[in-house]
Amino acid sequence: MAGGIIGGAIIFTSGNPATNNAANAVTGESISNINIDATGNQIIEISAKGGYSPRETLAKAGVPTVIKIRTNNTFDCSSIIRIPSMNYQTALPTTGETSINIPPQQKGTVLNAFCGMGMYRFEIRFD
Ligand SMILES: [Cu+2]
């Protein structure tokens, strides 16, 4: 038997694995953490556990946006989210989903979010 996936690891062949624009090495499909819901909201999914993933998201400017943050047995400080430019801070549930509504952003805006202590972060670029 040649090749295959060992231990279920996904290896990215191109791009920065921290971004939402990486390609799946097996299927070649692009992986995106953005969906548009029935009402036209842009939904951005971020997971929080020992940091945030993906750390960089390229999103659409000018549309109402919801950041959905998923926790799953998250006991570290990434369970506290701060978005200083929006004066936003919240404590996420240990396991669950938290939605943060973001008004339409201007092209070029970069939204930075941090953990409670400021050591983990993620950013969303609106273009
Ligand atoms: Cu922290």
Side-chain angles (χ1 to χ4, degrees):
M1 173 185 166
I5 297 173
I6 297 163
I10 295 173
I11 297 156
F12 296 97
T13 53
S14 65
N16 180 344
T19 73
N20 61 323
N21 297 317
N24 182 304
V26 178
T27 64
E29 285 171 32
S30 84
I31 298 167
S32 174
N33 61 326
I34 299 182
N35 292 293
I36 307 291
D37 75 6
T39 59
N41 287 316
Q42 167 173 243
I43 314 294
I44 299 173
E45 298 194 14
I46 303 282
S47 67
K49 186 173 185 171
Y52 303 105
S53 179
R55 292 195 302 272
E56 291 176 22
T57 296
L58 188 60
K60 268 194 195 134
V63 294
T65 297
V66 179
I67 305 176
K68 263 193 192 171
I69 304 184
R70 285 217 168 89
T71 45
N72 184 6
N73 290 314
T74 302
F75 293 101
D76 60 88
C77 69
S78 54
S79 65
I80 307 279
I81 292 255
R82 291 186 303 119
I83 307 177
S85 65
M86 294 183 52
N87 264 324
Y88 181 89
Q89 174 162 339
T90 197
L92 305 170
T94 300
T95 297
E97 203 176 84
T98 302
S99 291
I100 306 170
N101 291 304
I102 309 285
Q105 299 291 304
Q106 286 190 335
K107 201 176 161 87
T109 301
V110 180
L111 205 75
N112 283 290
F114 301 90
C115 71
M117 293 167 8
M119 63 182 182
Y120 298 127
R121 60 180 282 279
F122 66 89
E123 69 175 44
I124 298 170
R125 279 171 189 278
F126 292 89
D127 191 39

